[in-house]
Amino acid sequence: MKIGQSFGEWLPQNRRMVADWVNDLIDNIKEESEPGMNLKNAAVKTVSPEMGHKKMVTFKHQEVLEFKQKVMEDPTLRLLAEQMIAQGYAYKTEDPTGKPQIQDLDTLFKLIDVIIETAPEYMQPEEDGRGLIGFPINAVLDWCMGTQAGYAFFLNEQVNSCLNKILKKWCEFLNSPASTKVLNKSETGWLCDAAVEELALDEYIIDKSDEHFGFKSWNDFFTRQFKPGMRKTEAPDDPYVIVNACESAAYRIANHVKPDTKFWLKEQPYALDYMLDHHEYTNRFIGGTVYQAFLSATHYHCWHAPVDGTIADVKLIPGTYYAEINEFPYDEAGPNDSQAYITHVAARAIIMIEADNKDIGMVCFMPVGMSEVSSCDVAVKKGDTVKKGDFIGRFLFGGSTHCLIFEPNVIEEFAVDAIPAPDFNDSAIQKLGSRLATARKKRKRKSF
C-alpha cells in the first residue's frame, strides 16, 4: 500500500515500512516502561490498553511534558486529542503489520519525546518505495492529522505554541555534535555508498578524510553547500531573466490571484491577505502570479535571490506545524496534498525584494515550513542589496515548499510547466539559478 504522490520524498511511500518503524519505537517504549521502574523527571502513571497493565511514563524533555499537561488540563484539547487517536485508529482497517499502533495519549507524547533526541536515519529506496526520511514526527502523527478531530487540534494556537517549543528543542539537538551519529557509512548512515550516489554528495563541499565528511551536526549536513561552479546563475546581466530561488520542482502556477478567497476548499486557491499575513505590500500583488515549488528531502536546502534588488522587508510569521486541508475521508498524502493550503496557515517567512528592474517591481519570496521542517533561517535584513543567485536564507532540517509572488502583468512566460511531475525525479527538478521565467518588457508611453 502506497501513499499517493509524495513530492520530494519527504513523506513515506510505503505504509508497511512506516508502520514497522513506529511499532519498533513503541516496543522500545514498552521495554522502558515496565511497572515499578523509578523513572527520572516527571513520571506519570497511566493505563495502557495495549500493554494491559499500569506503566510509568517519563519525559526527558520539559517541552513535551508541558505539551501533555496543556492537553490534559484543557477539556477541549483533551477531547480533540482522544478523538483524533480513536478516529485515526478506526481508519486503520488494513494495517499491513497486523500490530496495533498508537492507542493512547501517553504513547503519542512519549514517541515525540524520544524522537527529539534522535536524528533521522537514511533509508535506501526499495522497489515499492522509500519508507521514511525526513518527517519522523509526521509519521507518528500521520493518522491523527487526517481525522476530523485532528484538523481542529492542529489548528489550535495553544497546540502550535507547544509544538513550536518542541521543534526548537529538536533543532538544538540537530545543531549539536551528538546528531552526527547518523552521519556514518553503515547501511542506515547518510554517508554510505548508496546515499553518496543518491544525494550526489560529490557535488558538495565535503571532506572524505573526516569521519563525518567534515560536517559538525545533522543540520550542518542538511544545509551543505555546493562546490564552487556547480550551480551557475543564468543570464546574470539580463534584468528580465528571473531565476530559480531553490533547487525544487514546480507544484503550481496561479494567475490573477485574489486578496481573499476560500483557501480551505479542496482546490486550495491562493488568498494573498492570509498568505502574506495582511502585509502592507499585499495590494501590490493583487491580480498577480504565484509560483509554488517543492524541495526534495535529498537535495539542496538553501534559498537564493531570484532577481537583483533591495530587501524591502523581512517578516517571520508564526503558524501551524501539522495542519492539513480538511478532506473526508482520510487523506493519506497530507500534508503533501495540502501544499497550497499550508501557505496560508503554516509557520513561514516573507522576504520582499524591490527589483532593480522597474518592470518587475516587487517580488516576494516566501519559504513555508511543512511539519517538522519549520525553521526558516533568514540571512538578509531590510535595506540589504542582493544580486541574482545571492544566498538569502535556508530551511533548517531539510526543505519544504516555497512561493515566489509577482505583481500583475510581470511574467511574460515561465520556463516550467504549471502541472507538477508525477514523481520527484531529476528531470522534474529546476536547478538553482536556472531560468525560471522571463519578465515582460512593458512599453513606455510616448511623450508629446
Side-chain angles (χ1 to χ4, degrees):
M1 177 178 177
K2 285 186 182 181
I3 286 178
Q5 290 181 328
S6 182
F7 297 106
E9 298 183 330
W10 271 108
L11 291 181
Q13 294 172 299
N14 186 307
R15 177 65 63 188
R16 174 190 56 78
M17 294 173 67
V18 179
D20 286 344
W21 181 83
V22 174
N23 281 323
D24 286 343
L25 281 184
I26 293 175
D27 289 342
N28 291 335
I29 292 173
K30 290 179 183 179
E31 293 175 3
E32 295 176 0
S33 305
E34 292 300 326
M37 285 186 67
N38 183 18
L39 297 172
K40 210 175 174 183
N41 293 341
V44 182
K45 288 185 178 181
T46 64
V47 175
S48 175
E50 76 273 16
M51 292 174 64
H53 57 70
K54 286 187 176 182
K55 66 177 181 178
M56 295 285 285
V57 179
T58 186
F59 299 98
K60 295 182 179 179
H61 303 96
Q62 183 65 25
E63 295 81 3
V64 180
L65 178 60
E66 289 179 2
F67 186 26
K68 174 186 167 62
Q69 291 174 336
K70 180 71 70 175
V71 170
M72 302 304 287
E73 292 170 0
D74 187 305
T76 301
L77 294 182
R78 172 73 183 273
L79 175 63
L80 290 173
E82 296 281 8
Q83 284 184 334
M84 71 182 185
I85 289 177
Q87 291 170 3
Y89 193 76
Y91 285 145
K92 293 173 28 155
T93 57
E94 298 181 0
D95 186 342
T97 65
K99 301 177 182 178
Q101 287 185 280
I102 301 168
Q103 297 185 36
D104 64 90
L105 285 173
D106 278 326
T107 301
L108 178 65
F109 291 121
K110 182 59 181 177
L111 288 173
I112 295 174
D113 192 59
V114 170
I115 287 171
I116 64 174
E117 61 179 8
T118 60
E121 293 183 337
Y122 174 75
M123 280 194 169
Q124 299 188 27
E126 296 186 0
E127 290 184 1
D128 53 355
R130 185 189 297 280
L132 178 74
I133 297 183
F135 282 178
I137 295 179
N138 198 117
V140 169
L141 299 177
D142 191 26
W143 288 99
C144 297
M145 290 162 56
T147 65
Q148 294 300 299
Y151 298 135
F153 183 81
F154 290 109
L155 282 173
N156 183 274
E157 186 175 348
Q158 294 184 78
V159 168
N160 284 292
S161 177
C162 291
L163 288 171
N164 176 273
K165 294 178 182 178
I166 288 171
L167 294 175
K168 283 183 177 178
K169 187 66 177 180
W170 193 23
C171 194
E172 287 180 13
F173 173 81
L174 297 176
N175 279 329
S176 73
S179 64
T180 59
K181 184 178 179 181
V182 296
L183 302 182
N184 59 65
K185 297 182 180 181
S186 70
E187 290 186 357
T188 57
W190 289 90
L191 307 181
C192 70
D193 291 342
V196 169
E197 180 178 357
E198 182 184 4
L199 276 62
L201 288 185
D202 288 332
E203 294 185 359
Y204 296 85
I205 299 172
I206 58 176
D207 179 7
K208 289 188 176 181
S209 66
D210 180 77
E211 178 185 6
H212 304 302
F213 279 21
F215 299 111
K216 306 303 181 185
S217 69
W218 164 264
N219 270 334
D220 187 29
F221 164 73
F222 241 76
T223 56
R224 59 194 177 273
Q225 297 294 307
F226 281 119
K227 292 178 180 177
M230 289 306 303
R231 293 293 184 272
K232 294 183 178 180
T233 301
E234 189 169 347
D237 299 322
D238 187 340
Y240 286 90
V241 172
I242 301 165
V243 299
N244 280 288
C246 300
E247 192 100 346
S248 53
Y251 177 76
R252 181 182 291 178
I253 297 173
N255 296 304
H256 313 295
V257 182
K258 299 178 180 179
D260 188 14
T261 187
K262 296 179 180 179
F263 61 83
W264 56 88
L265 297 178
K266 185 176 181 180
E267 295 79 15
Q268 303 174 62
Y270 296 110
L272 288 171
D273 277 342
Y274 295 98
M275 292 176 72
L276 300 179
D277 196 37
H278 309 285
H279 194 280
E280 61 179 310
Y281 292 141
T282 298
N283 287 342
R284 295 185 62 169
F285 299 103
I286 294 174
T289 300
V290 173
Y291 169 79
Q292 185 172 359
F294 192 57
L295 283 74
S296 165
T298 56
H299 288 71
Y300 187 67
H301 302 96
C302 299
W303 329 319
H304 293 249
V307 295
D308 297 344
T310 301
I311 304 299
D313 197 25
V314 173
K315 184 178 181 180
L316 294 175
I317 304 172
T320 66
Y321 298 97
Y322 294 94
E324 61 183 68
I325 191 170
N326 187 340
E327 285 193 327
F328 190 84
Y330 174 74
D331 172 19
E332 289 181 328
N336 266 3
D337 280 356
S338 301
Q339 281 192 63
Y341 168 76
I342 66 172
T343 64
H344 304 81
V345 300
R348 58 200 185 278
I350 53 176
I351 301 176
M352 297 289 184
I353 307 174
E354 187 70 61
D356 291 344
N357 184 349
K358 301 304 180 183
D359 283 348
I360 293 178
M362 184 79 75
V363 177
C364 177
F365 173 79
M366 187 175 74
V368 183
M370 180 182 289
S371 296
E372 44 258 51
V373 186
S374 58
S375 297
C376 295
D377 186 19
V378 180
V380 291
K381 64 183 184 302
K382 184 176 180 178
D384 288 349
T385 58
V386 293
K387 303 292 289 183
K388 277 191 292 188
D390 284 354
F391 172 74
I392 59 173
R394 61 182 182 171
F395 288 112
L396 292 181
F397 185 27
S400 187
T401 192
H402 76 287
C403 294
L404 281 169
I405 308 174
F406 302 95
E407 294 185 31
N409 303 313
V410 166
I411 303 300
E412 179 72 32
E413 63 177 357
F414 278 98
V416 296
D417 293 328
I419 301 174
D423 54 25
F424 206 97
N425 53 48
D426 286 339
S427 63
I429 297 171
Q430 307 302 314
K431 300 296 185 183
L432 174 72
S434 63
R435 183 189 299 258
L436 169 67
T438 302
R440 178 177 286 111
K441 294 183 179 179
K442 300 175 183 178
R443 294 180 180 178
K444 297 181 180 180
R445 293 181 179 180
K446 295 181 180 180
S447 58
F448 295 95

